[in-house]
Amino acid sequence: MLLFSDVAKVFDEIEKLSGRLEMTDILAELFKKTDAKEIDKLVYIMQGIVAPPYSGIDLGIGERFAVDAVASASGYSVSQVDAEYRKSGDLGDTTEKLLEKRKQTALFTSNMNVRYVYDAVMKISKSSGQGSQEQKIKYLTELLNNATPLEGRYIIRFVLGSLRLGVGDPTILDAISVAHKGDKSLREELERAYNVCADMGLVARLFYEDPKNIEKFKVQPFKPLMPALAERLSTPEQIIEKIGKCGVEMKYDGLRLQCHKKDGKVEIYSRKLEKMTRMFPDVVEAIMKLKPNEIIFEGEALAYDKKNKRYFSFQQTMHRRRKHGINEASKEFPMNVFVFDLLYIDGKDLTNVPYKERRAVIKKLFKGKGILKPSESKLISKSEKLEEMFLKSTEKGLEGIMAKDLNAPYTAGKRKFAWIKLKKSYGKSVDTIDGVIVGYYRGHGSRTEFEFGGLLLAVQNSDTGRLETIAKIGSGFTEDEMMKLRETLDKIKTKNPPTILDYKLEADFWVEPKYVIEVAFDDITISSIHTCAAKDGKGYALRFPRMVALRDDKGIRDITTSEEVDEMHNLQHPR
Ligand code: AMP
């Protein structure tokens, strides 16, 4: 059995490293000592979760409650803990320091194992209802009472949702592979399984039970898949050159839904894989009526504006749902779901079936089914026809088109050239990317009033899972938006930069990498202060970046990758 104190020592070691290879090796050594009964727990702890997002079980412990627990376990007052926390900027570090000073600890050794710690935190997460906050503090205090100072550091960081080790999902998968095979050759297989169930704990456990489980891992209802992601190109010609004859679909700017049904039960998941079933009673009803007993499909949901005979945009659709209440909005602004992919039907995993075959089934299944309809699509082999379709989409007020490789499988969680987007703005000089906010700046001049001077933005290196900065954004916000942004970001301020971030440019305030924004820009340039796709000390930066919108439908996994930025740069500046 794996002692939590041993795990904490390894975490401490990893935290001091910056090289990914070394991290992987140290982690692999730890994974070798872990068995099938505890590997899932260890993986969740490392991800800073107790269960995958769609389980609906959140850690649910606010910082205030954690401070209370630290105070009672260490014997210090809440204000003493607060003062120390303000100094260190990390409640985990504060916990360690105060537990060290705890009386009679000299000979204290803990013998909690990983499962014990995980189960205790699970119990804390699950306690709800009246008096549950006091319960949570009590359980957490008990846990800390049994902990060594170093264990305390990681217990507190775990309950607050991040161990701050700088270890991303790809590193965990690599380490599992190295632990079993001595090299990274199993990473791809493990990653595929992870991408089709979004539950790394489950994948790790099944793999430890029998590696064959992973080879034959299949899509299952109520285990949502990581959504496939689209690449981008800037002209119809480039698209035809890249994938030849393709299926070209309208690109709807709505809310991506992943719909699951089995034995009369329906669940709908968002792009971030959170359950949204209750938001869409009208869609649930329509799914119930579908013939297959088991089905998983994806579509883009948009409300229809009867008066203006146009679809509302994503922002407008959500606004209406919030303002008018769900049931009212369902009647007033009926939802339409444009089905664009089919992943599973009655026991059959379709993710490896070519797109053209999945599409044929969609057309048959969703024809004339009311609010669920196939996305509008055409087979196209000439760039002029693609251009025509693109113009048609913008005339309709849609976002552009999605070109799909006829022979490609469903690339769960991956950005491959199976899907290529051509968006409204591409033809012009304006382009957009999605990035995550990692820090922000104090205001100067007229903005001082709001104490807000802009954002530091990062994209993600998909190979290492690390974040790399690409822009400092000072415009595109209204005053109202600035105030709201500052308020929102103030709540997730951290003393230290995110451990997962590679940066050179400092922010005035660092934040947890959580909020995704869409950003327009004029060009991609080479910069010595940003780390995006950096080589020889030079990375990419956005020229004239400005915020377009906060994308609360997107999470870190959806943001633009450094590789994509590299491709965009090469497209704009052919060598
Ligand atoms: P983007 O968010 O710009 O990277 O574009 C990808 C998103 O477009 C997907 O996540 C879907 O939500 C959305 N989308 C709209 N229409 C389609 C379509 N026909 N096929 C695939 N995705 C679509």
Side-chain angles (χ1 to χ4, degrees), residues 249-252 256 271 300 404 421 423 554:
E249 300 186 11
M250 290 293 168
K251 185 174 191 306
Y252 306 90
R256 183 172 186 165
R271 181 173 179 145
E300 193 84 358
K404 302 196 170 174
K421 61 188 169 189
K423 283 212 278 196
K554 293 191 176 182

Side-chain angles (χ1 to χ4, degrees), residues 162 164 436-441 452 454-458 467 485-501 506-516 556:
S162 167
R164 307 183 55 84
V436 67
I437 303 172
V438 291
Y440 65 102
Y441 295 89
F452 182 76
L455 304 167
L456 183 61
L457 193 77
L467 299 176
L485 267 172
R486 208 207 78 192
E487 254 176 53
T488 312
L489 296 175
D490 268 352
K491 290 195 193 117
I492 54 165
K493 243 188 330 202
T494 55
K495 177 148 181 196
N496 299 314
T499 30
I500 196 114
L501 177 72
E506 299 265 352
D508 289 341
F509 305 102
W510 298 106
V511 297
E512 290 290 340
K514 181 171 174 187
Y515 292 105
V516 174
I556 268 203

Side-chain angles (χ1 to χ4, degrees), residues 48-62:
I49 55 176
V50 275
Y54 50 86
S55 65
I57 310 171
D58 288 333
L59 280 161
I61 298 174

Side-chain angles (χ1 to χ4, degrees), residues 97-260:
K97 186 163 174 199
L98 297 183
L99 289 185
E100 258 160 21
K101 295 192 193 161
R102 171 176 60 184
K103 285 154 224 130
Q104 5 79 7
T105 51
L107 295 169
F108 177 72
T109 47
S110 142
N111 52 8
M112 296 189 287
N113 59 42
V114 168
R115 274 172 69 189
Y116 179 86
V117 172
Y118 172 86
D119 289 345
V121 174
M122 182 58 125
K123 194 166 83 176
I124 295 172
S125 307
K126 277 187 170 165
S127 68
S128 64
Q130 224 191 2
S132 65
Q133 292 305 348
E134 289 75 25
Q135 280 283 324
K136 284 178 197 241
I137 297 172
K138 189 173 147 255
Y139 292 149
L140 185 56
T141 307
E142 276 169 24
L143 199 54
L144 291 175
N145 280 338
N146 285 324
T148 64
L150 189 65
E151 287 177 311
R153 183 207 291 176
Y154 293 108
I155 289 170
I156 284 299
R157 288 191 193 166
F158 174 36
V159 300
L160 293 179
S162 167
L163 293 191
R164 307 183 55 84
L165 298 179
V167 170
D169 290 350
T171 307
I172 302 179
L173 292 169
D174 276 344
I176 296 177
S177 175
V178 172
H180 283 259
K181 202 129 184 256
D183 59 32
K184 294 182 188 169
S185 57
L186 297 173
R187 145 110 178 245
E188 209 177 299
E189 213 172 274
L190 288 163
E191 195 167 19
R192 182 188 134 75
Y194 177 39
N195 281 333
V196 301
C197 71
D199 186 342
M200 184 140 35
L202 175 73
V203 170
R205 177 167 60 78
L206 291 175
F207 177 74
Y208 270 61
E209 281 166 7
D210 182 358
K212 283 206 194 75
N213 286 335
I214 298 306
E215 280 161 44
K216 44 182 204 233
F217 196 87
K218 280 214 171 70
V219 172
Q220 312 160 38
F222 311 124
K223 291 243 167 257
L225 297 83
M226 299 275 198
L229 304 170
E231 294 275 0
R232 70 171 83 210
L233 288 172
S234 352
T235 64
E237 291 75 22
Q238 287 167 343
I239 294 179
I240 298 296
E241 194 181 311
K242 183 86 194 170
I243 55 172
K245 186 174 174 184
C246 51
V248 180
E249 300 186 11
M250 290 293 168
K251 185 174 191 306
Y252 306 90
D253 177 20
L255 195 68
R256 183 172 186 165
L257 302 183
Q258 197 181 116
C259 307
H260 291 227

